[in-house]
Amino acid sequence: MRTAESPYLSVLPRVEPLYWAIRSLALLGLLFHMFVSTPPLIGEPLWWGVAGAFAALALLPAIVVKYRRLQLRPFFWGLYALDLLAVATLVDLTGGIESNFFILFYALVPYVGYYAGIQVGLTVAGVVTVMYGIPCFILGGLQVLPQFIFRMVMM
């Protein structure tokens, strides 16, 4: 299969389509959740703010890479931190251990590990474990331990 080289600057030419796919699916999942949840969240400004933040996080890298206004390496480190906070917030807002959005951690951790290396990927996996675990145990107690262990082992 032949592929054409992109005329745009690219950090990882083979990963960006995956990045856009992950971002698009996260945003679509969030919008779907807003429409079908009980009660519907479509009229609440908080949820539109969360959706707007996810859309901005999706578009920001394209703008920065195209116009090269910032150093790319520190920018992407900041973006990874924002991604972690955004996914953790979304999981917390949609039910903690009961949320299905925890799956976004499974997309984020390998992406960071691929780009930044195995040590950073393992560190991010540890940070995600703490970020996901503390709220789950505060809200669900020890009864969520088996489900939590399974999810973290799969990470």
Side-chain angles (χ1 to χ4, degrees):
M1 183 169 104
R2 301 183 84 195
T3 59
E5 290 294 321
S6 172
Y8 300 105
L9 295 174
S10 177
V11 177
L12 296 169
R14 298 181 195 275
V15 178
E16 270 92 11
L18 176 63
Y19 177 83
W20 286 103
I22 291 168
R23 291 304 173 99
S24 299
L25 288 174
L27 188 57
L28 285 174
L30 176 60
L31 292 173
F32 181 76
H33 176 74
M34 288 171 60
F35 280 99
V36 301
S37 65
T38 306
L41 302 171
I42 198 73
E44 296 190 29
L46 169 70
W47 287 96
W48 285 108
V50 171
F54 266 82
L57 279 174
L59 295 175
L60 190 61
I63 294 168
V64 168
V65 168
K66 184 173 181 178
Y67 295 109
R68 286 291 274 229
R69 299 283 183 198
L70 301 170
Q71 294 277 335
L72 289 182
R73 189 164 181 81
F75 169 74
F76 279 105
W77 282 103
L79 188 64
Y80 298 149
L82 286 174
D83 284 343
L84 285 175
L85 290 174
V87 172
T89 302
L90 184 59
V91 167
D92 187 45
L93 288 174
T94 57
I97 194 77
E98 300 296 325
S99 173
N100 290 326
F101 286 105
F102 78 94
I103 294 171
L104 294 175
F105 284 128
Y106 293 149
L108 179 62
V109 170
Y111 185 82
V112 172
Y114 179 79
Y115 174 69
I118 188 74
Q119 291 175 338
V120 174
L122 291 174
T123 302
V124 169
V127 169
V128 164
T129 301
V130 172
M131 287 176 69
Y132 183 61
I134 290 174
C136 288
F137 286 121
I138 289 172
L139 296 175
L142 288 178
Q143 65 190 15
V144 299
L145 186 62
Q147 188 176 11
F148 176 77
I149 290 173
F150 175 74
R151 289 180 178 186
M152 290 304 107
V153 167
M154 296 306 292
M155 180 83 57

